[in-house]
Amino acid sequence: MPQVVRSRNGALQGPSPVPPLPHRFRSLADRESVEVLHRAARVLVASLPALTDRLVEALYAQEPAYRAAIDSDRAEVWQEVHHSLRHNVGSLIQPREFRESAHRTSRWIGEIRAEQGVPLDAVLHAFRMGGAMVWQDLVDETARRDPDDIRLLVHVAADVWNFVDEHCGVVADAYRQAERRLSWRRENRQRLMVAALLDGTARIADLAEAAEMLGLPEQGRYAVLAVAVGPRGPVAVAAGGGHGAVLAAASDAGAARHGPGSAARPPVALPAAHPGAMALWHPGPDAEFAILPLTGPPGELSELAAALDVPAGTRAGIGSAVEGLAALGDARRLAETALRACPAFGGTVLLDEHLPDALVVSSPALAGALADRVLGPLDRLDPADRDVIVETLTAWLDADGSAQRAGARLYCHRNTVLNRLRRFEQLTGRCLTRPRDAVEVSLALAGRRLLGN
């Protein structure tokens, strides 16, 4: 901080409009101005308690943001104001001695006001109110002692107000730094809380705090959306434990929370009219998750899945609805199951509408064994021949057992479809009109398609 008083000409911006005064006379005038300032400032130091009282009252009357703090603990606010005035008025008399302590006080005030949530504009207004009150008291004291000295005091007015502006800058800088620290801590705490909810490790005692922190009802209905970009890797049995640590590590690395607070863009676009548009996003090691608050009718998830804007090559899985924040861990696991049931080329799978596929991917070892048992005999055929039979069988099942509609899809006659189905029965020993065999064949085909066996 520069000394509070400098050469009068040096404080002006740009060249002086008149020739500079002789050096000896200019120095004499500055010394006289400083002496006037010091005399008045010493009187203020002696009457600091009264000045503090007046400033606290003025803050209460003119700055609404300070009223709650003053009502809550007037003595604490009074001490803070008194401490600041003592150092700042002292800086008018001994700038070198009080420079660092005055800056520390201003930084301290900026930090605590940020922590208390007092708006920065209100804090700066309070500082300028204090500066205006100090300046007015300096003028009043100088006028009382010798009105002619006011003309000398005017010479240091710019220095006094530059001092006030300087400390406003110190306060603003400290406030913003504290605000960034608080924001980082708050967002990091939110990310860790979301990670714990999705992992199912959040304590029951923490659910009320989580609901308040995240702006979500503790007993509301929720679903989880899982999104992954790129081809699906090999499906493995979901292992218990360890997932939360990965989620938390990804969170600490700067992972996203979209909606109330955000980082990267969400991987899919949610319908603007759906409450899930303000979903809480969180990254996992292989997918990103969104907590979707549900407030609509039972078919809400179906409408959401149909309206979901999924980019090409992106896979999205929506789990079943659950009740309460405590069940979000289950909702996440259901969403992961739906994601594993997505086609490798991308798309959206709503778990409730693909439960047989979900059964297959939930137990890949058993699904693989079933596929080998039912479809294994086809592997002895030429690959092209085998693929024709599998394609025909899939089309027939998708057409609800109609050879006519399956033929239309495959651009062949219905009799061709029936011949291929008959050949499948001969090779595998299965009877497609027997319900049990039809179910096994359907699950076996899903296993081959989803597991890549």
Side-chain angles (χ1 to χ4, degrees), residues 212-272:
E212 181 179 0
M213 180 190 304
L214 303 176
L216 298 173
E218 183 178 349
Q219 300 302 328
R221 291 175 59 246
Y222 298 97
V224 170
L225 165 67
V227 179
V229 179
R232 181 184 63 240
V235 177
V237 179
H243 192 81
V246 177
L247 283 175
S251 171
D252 291 339
R257 172 184 177 265
H258 309 284
S262 66
R265 177 182 298 178
V268 299
L270 293 159

Side-chain angles (χ1 to χ4, degrees), residues 12-348:
L12 297 176
Q13 297 295 323
S16 174
V18 296
L21 295 173
H23 184 273
R24 182 184 60 80
F25 182 80
R26 184 169 65 251
S27 299
L28 179 62
D30 285 345
R31 285 199 300 271
E32 290 175 350
S33 300
V34 171
E35 289 172 1
V36 170
L37 174 66
H38 286 182
R39 282 198 300 268
R42 290 189 187 98
V43 175
L44 264 63
V45 170
S47 60
L48 273 183
L51 176 59
T52 303
D53 288 339
R54 287 191 289 119
L55 182 52
V56 171
E57 290 299 327
L59 286 173
Y60 190 87
Q62 300 178 37
E63 184 45 71
Y66 270 75
R67 288 176 190 163
I70 295 173
D71 284 335
S72 175
D73 196 339
R74 177 178 287 264
E76 181 180 354
V77 176
W78 192 96
Q79 288 293 340
E80 174 192 309
V81 172
H82 184 269
H83 195 65
S84 179
L85 287 173
R86 179 165 60 86
H87 285 87
N88 291 336
V89 174
S91 293
L92 299 178
I93 305 170
Q94 296 175 296
R96 291 183 180 177
E97 290 78 355
F98 279 86
R99 173 191 172 102
E100 289 303 324
S101 59
H103 274 207
R104 283 196 300 270
T105 300
S106 296
R107 284 194 294 268
W108 171 68
I109 291 174
E111 290 173 356
I112 63 172
R113 288 292 173 247
E115 293 173 358
Q116 293 169 348
V118 178
L120 178 57
D121 287 347
V123 181
L124 296 178
H125 182 213
F127 260 75
R128 292 192 175 100
M129 285 175 62
M133 188 171 289
V134 167
W135 175 250
Q136 187 61 53
D137 281 11
L138 291 171
V139 172
D140 291 346
E141 175 57 28
T142 302
R144 184 189 66 79
R145 179 182 296 271
D146 187 347
D148 291 340
D149 285 347
I150 291 180
R151 63 181 177 82
L152 296 172
L153 190 62
V154 170
H155 294 169
V156 295
D159 298 285
V160 173
W161 283 105
N162 285 341
F163 174 82
V164 173
D165 287 342
E166 177 184 352
H167 276 263
C168 284
V170 171
V171 168
D173 183 62
Y175 185 101
R176 293 188 182 102
Q177 289 184 22
E179 195 173 41
R180 284 192 293 270
R181 289 196 301 271
L182 291 169
S183 177
W184 182 88
R185 291 172 187 168
R186 180 171 57 252
E187 291 181 2
N188 191 54
R189 181 172 175 80
Q190 289 172 339
R191 285 193 293 266
L192 292 175
M193 182 62 75
V194 171
L197 290 171
L198 288 173
D199 194 41
T201 58
R203 298 183 304 174
I204 297 298
D206 293 335
L207 293 179
E209 179 186 358
E212 181 179 0
M213 180 190 304
L214 303 176
L216 298 173
E218 183 178 349
Q219 300 302 328
R221 291 175 59 246
Y222 298 97
V224 170
L225 165 67
V227 179
V229 179
R232 181 184 63 240
V235 177
V237 179
H243 192 81
V246 177
L247 283 175
S251 171
D252 291 339
R257 172 184 177 265
H258 309 284
S262 66
R265 177 182 298 178
V268 299
L270 293 159
H274 192 274
M278 293 301 291
L280 298 178
W281 285 92
H282 193 87
D286 301 312
E288 290 199 46
F289 299 92
I291 299 175
L292 306 176
L294 304 178
T295 58
E300 180 181 11
L301 281 178
S302 296
E303 296 176 3
L304 173 62
L308 202 62
D309 184 8
V310 180
T314 299
R315 295 176 292 113
I318 304 176
S320 303
V322 298
E323 296 289 338
L325 292 177
L328 281 178
D330 294 334
R332 189 214 82 227
R333 286 184 282 274
L334 293 172
E336 288 178 322
T337 300
L339 185 63
R340 292 196 296 271
C342 281
F345 55 80
T348 301

